[in-house]
Amino acid sequence: MGRVTVRRPVRRISATGERRRPDSLAAEEPLELRVGGKALAVTMRTPGHDVELAHGFLLSEGVLGSREDVAVARYCDGVDDQGRNTYNVLDIALAEGVAPPDTGVERNFYTTSSCGVCGKAALDAVKLRSRFSPAASEFTVKTDVLTQLPDRLREQQKVFSSTGGLHAAGLFTSDGQLVVVREDVGRHNAVDKVLGWALQAGRIPAPDLGLLVSGRASFELVQKAAMAGIGLLAAVSAPSSLAVELAEENGMTLIGFLRGDSMNLYTGDQRLLT
């Protein structure tokens, strides 16, 4: 596996002067995802939990519905100039009878760490239909429990503490327990990793869990939550207009600006208990 952080020299300049010192940076490397030996997408990610990332990605694309849908996941090919495996190429072999990704939603082979839906073949293909209805989720959470979660998420961001350059996502229970937290340079990758963890743990669909993200709530993050059957998404920052529309269409609860003791509730009042 590649390095999660990289040390680089930096010249720090401030009002009190300047000095040179080493600095820790969040690693960003390409991950080529293949399905059955065929290249599907390349995403820029922080190395680590790549198999979870692949499972979560394929779940959000509608390819996977359970851990039994994957026969094997293995690193292959990619080597550096010294012949060492870069662990930047991952091939997923689907179980017998599982349909491969629809070419209609196949990506144009590259996504950035900030945009997971760049390069979609058609805009209509972005609105994938989930096999697990988030509207059926009876998940509820009290506001005083919810307001404590950003700090708890931050406490588990070990790499962020040393670099300041990573997004985080976590799945939580109605009593405020964070069951899994993952970090990545890409917000959509962090979400894929926690959803991939849940898929491998046999917890998809996840109507009994909420999803918390450290940044903004984009359209794609709402879509990913919906594809996992999650009824509540909470974000520390702002949602986009399309994210709110999609959450409303899917009967989801969407919360933004979850900071301190306040929050904005955009959709799905029934899951938030005051």
Side-chain angles (χ1 to χ4, degrees), residues 15-68:
T16 58
E18 62 177 81
R19 63 189 179 95
R20 295 182 182 273
R21 63 176 180 82
D23 191 28
S24 292
L25 305 177
E28 183 175 25
E29 296 183 11
L31 175 68
E32 178 184 328
L33 176 61
R34 299 177 181 176
V35 176
K38 180 182 178 182
L40 178 67
V42 173
T43 186
M44 301 303 295
R45 98 303 189 192
T46 299
H49 304 289
D50 291 334
V51 175
E52 291 178 352
L53 191 160
H55 278 68
F57 176 86
L58 293 173
L59 168 69
S60 65
E61 292 291 338
V63 178
L64 304 181
S66 72
R67 58 188 173 188
E68 287 76 20

Side-chain angles (χ1 to χ4, degrees), residues 58 66 84 91 126 146 149 158 183 197 212 241 245 255:
L58 293 173
S66 72
R84 296 172 301 189
D91 190 21
V126 175
L146 202 55
L149 287 174
K158 296 179 180 179
E183 295 180 277
W197 172 90
L212 174 66
S241 61
E245 290 176 19
I255 295 166

Side-chain angles (χ1 to χ4, degrees), residues 31-34 36-37 50-51 54-55 70-77 85 87-93:
L31 175 68
E32 178 184 328
L33 176 61
R34 299 177 181 176
D50 291 334
V51 175
H55 278 68
V70 174
V72 66
R74 64 182 182 88
Y75 289 102
C76 54
D77 286 338
N85 197 323
Y87 297 98
N88 286 338
V89 181
L90 185 68
D91 190 21
I92 300 292

Side-chain angles (χ1 to χ4, degrees), residues 1-9 22-29 45-48 157-166 183-185 193:
M1 186 183 73
R3 294 172 294 175
V4 176
T5 62
V6 177
R7 300 282 282 178
R8 297 282 296 182
D23 191 28
S24 292
L25 305 177
E28 183 175 25
E29 296 183 11
R45 98 303 189 192
T46 299
Q157 290 184 252
K158 296 179 180 179
V159 183
F160 179 88
S161 297
S162 61
T163 65
L166 290 179
E183 295 180 277
D184 200 277
V185 287
K193 288 177 179 180

Side-chain angles (χ1 to χ4, degrees), residues 121-143:
L123 269 178
D124 287 345
V126 175
K127 286 193 175 183
L128 302 175
R129 299 193 67 84
S130 174
R131 65 183 80 184
F132 312 118
S133 172
S137 168
E138 297 181 358
F139 181 86
T140 59
V141 63
K142 294 181 179 179
T143 54

Side-chain angles (χ1 to χ4, degrees), residues 59 130 132-139 170-172 191 194-195 198 203-212 221-234 247 250-253 271:
L59 168 69
S130 174
F132 312 118
S133 172
S137 168
E138 297 181 358
F139 181 86
L171 295 175
F172 63 92
V191 171
V194 297
L195 296 185
R203 300 192 65 168
I204 295 296
D208 58 334
L209 296 174
L211 174 63
L212 174 66
L221 299 194
V222 173
Q223 174 190 297
K224 288 179 181 296
M227 295 298 285
I230 293 172
L232 185 147
L233 170 60
N250 283 276
M252 296 172 62
T253 298
R271 295 189 183 91

